[in-house]
Amino acid sequence: MEEESPSNGDDAKDTDVLGGGDDDELNEPELEGATEEESQNEESDNISPTPNENDVEVSSEDLDAVAEKSGENWKKLAQLLQLKAKDIKEIQEDSDDNIMRARQTLVTWQDYNDKSATKSALLEALVACGLDDAVKIIK
């Protein structure tokens, strides 16, 4: 039995279907179009969504209310808000009142984090700290 080999015309067809051969240039615009579309999708993924009500800065009134509810747990809250050990020590030495310590913790956190010191960031720390009463105030 003799096997038939494809003719030269068939070889060229196979190559073109696979994207090889002289027609490569014709395939490129399709690839470029897909690349541009992917690029646009990536760009839209990087656009910040419209801020929700918890992505706003924490007001002074909210800080006062949270400080009152978190007084005894101010040090744990300070750690969850990633304050530096030297700041925590300084806050502890500056006052004997836990509510004042909690307030200073929150102010220091805001100072360090500026625009990223949002309600949602504070809520995350309050939940991790188990301060449900303070969470209710912020929500």
Side-chain angles (χ1 to χ4, degrees), residues 23-36:
D23 291 335
D24 279 337
E25 293 175 26
L26 296 176
N27 292 336
E28 286 180 15
E30 290 176 14
L31 293 174
E32 286 178 12
T35 304
E36 287 176 23

Side-chain angles (χ1 to χ4, degrees), residues 106-118:
L106 294 167
V107 169
T108 303
W109 168 71
Q110 272 189 323
D111 289 346
Y112 280 140
N113 293 282
D114 194 34
K115 299 285 184 196
S116 62
T118 62

Side-chain angles (χ1 to χ4, degrees), residues 7 11 24 85 91:
S7 67
D11 286 342
D24 279 337
I91 291 168

Side-chain angles (χ1 to χ4, degrees), residues 78-79 81-85 87-88 91 104-105 108-109 112:
Q79 292 167 341
L81 292 172
Q82 299 180 344
L83 266 61
K84 299 173 186 171
D87 291 321
I88 294 172
I91 291 168
Q104 188 57 46
T105 293
T108 303
W109 168 71
Y112 280 140

Side-chain angles (χ1 to χ4, degrees), residues 7-52:
S7 67
N8 288 341
D10 288 342
D11 286 342
K13 275 187 188 173
D14 288 344
T15 306
D16 288 344
V17 170
L18 296 174
D22 294 334
D23 291 335
D24 279 337
E25 293 175 26
L26 296 176
N27 292 336
E28 286 180 15
E30 290 176 14
L31 293 174
E32 286 178 12
T35 304
E36 287 176 23
E37 186 177 322
E38 289 171 8
S39 176
Q40 288 172 352
N41 287 342
E42 288 174 11
E43 288 175 13
S44 66
D45 289 344
N46 292 333
I47 296 173
S48 297
T50 305
N52 69 32

